[in-house]
Amino acid sequence: QVQLVESGGGLVQAGGSLRLSCATSGRTFSSYTMGWFRQAPGKEREFVARISWSGGNTYYADSVKGRFTISRDNAKNTVYLQMNSLKSEDTAVYYCTAATQIRPGARGSDWNYWGQGTQVTVSS
């Protein structure tokens, strides 16, 4: 089955930047829509961003639009989340996810595979 492994999380000061990576296994990486979710302490898991199979179409949650950028490199079987102008409310565990649907939604049940998560902590 598809395996997803996130990396790049850590501690950063408010206003700073981090770049998360998600390495995927398998030769069919380019067949999946890829996305990122996050879950803050005491809160529900929420959708952050998604990117199409080709990388030509992206979609973001309003809370991160203009600050975060999702991208993918199919040759490296990797998806990225560049996070700029980080705020304390961005503190969460970030999860990489994949779906066979062209347009999976904000519901976690729309997605087929999940990584283990990587912690992002933004200090004020």
Side-chain angles (χ1 to χ4, degrees), residues 18-22 29 32-37 47-61 64-73 78-84 94-98 104 111:
L18 282 175
R19 189 192 194 196
L20 305 183
S21 298
C22 175
F29 171 75
Y32 293 92
T33 301
M34 301 297 298
W36 291 92
F37 280 68
F47 169 81
V48 175
R50 71 167 184 251
I51 186 167
S52 63
W53 299 333
S54 68
N57 294 300
T58 58
Y59 183 79
Y60 300 90
V64 306
K65 192 175 300 181
R67 300 187 298 118
F68 291 11
T69 302
I70 187 172
S71 62
R72 67 191 297 164
D73 186 339
T78 302
V79 63
Y80 306 95
L81 185 68
Q82 178 67 47
M83 305 184 294
N84 299 326
Y94 283 72
Y95 297 90
C96 180
T97 186
W111 301 80

Side-chain angles (χ1 to χ4, degrees), residues 7-20 66-69 81-88 90 94 119-123:
S7 63
L11 176 65
V12 64
Q13 191 172 13
S17 299
L18 282 175
R19 189 192 194 196
L20 305 183
R67 300 187 298 118
F68 291 11
T69 302
L81 185 68
Q82 178 67 47
M83 305 184 294
N84 299 326
S85 302
L86 284 163
K87 307 173 181 179
S88 59
D90 294 319
Y94 283 72
Q119 177 70 49
V120 172
T121 302
V122 183
S123 62

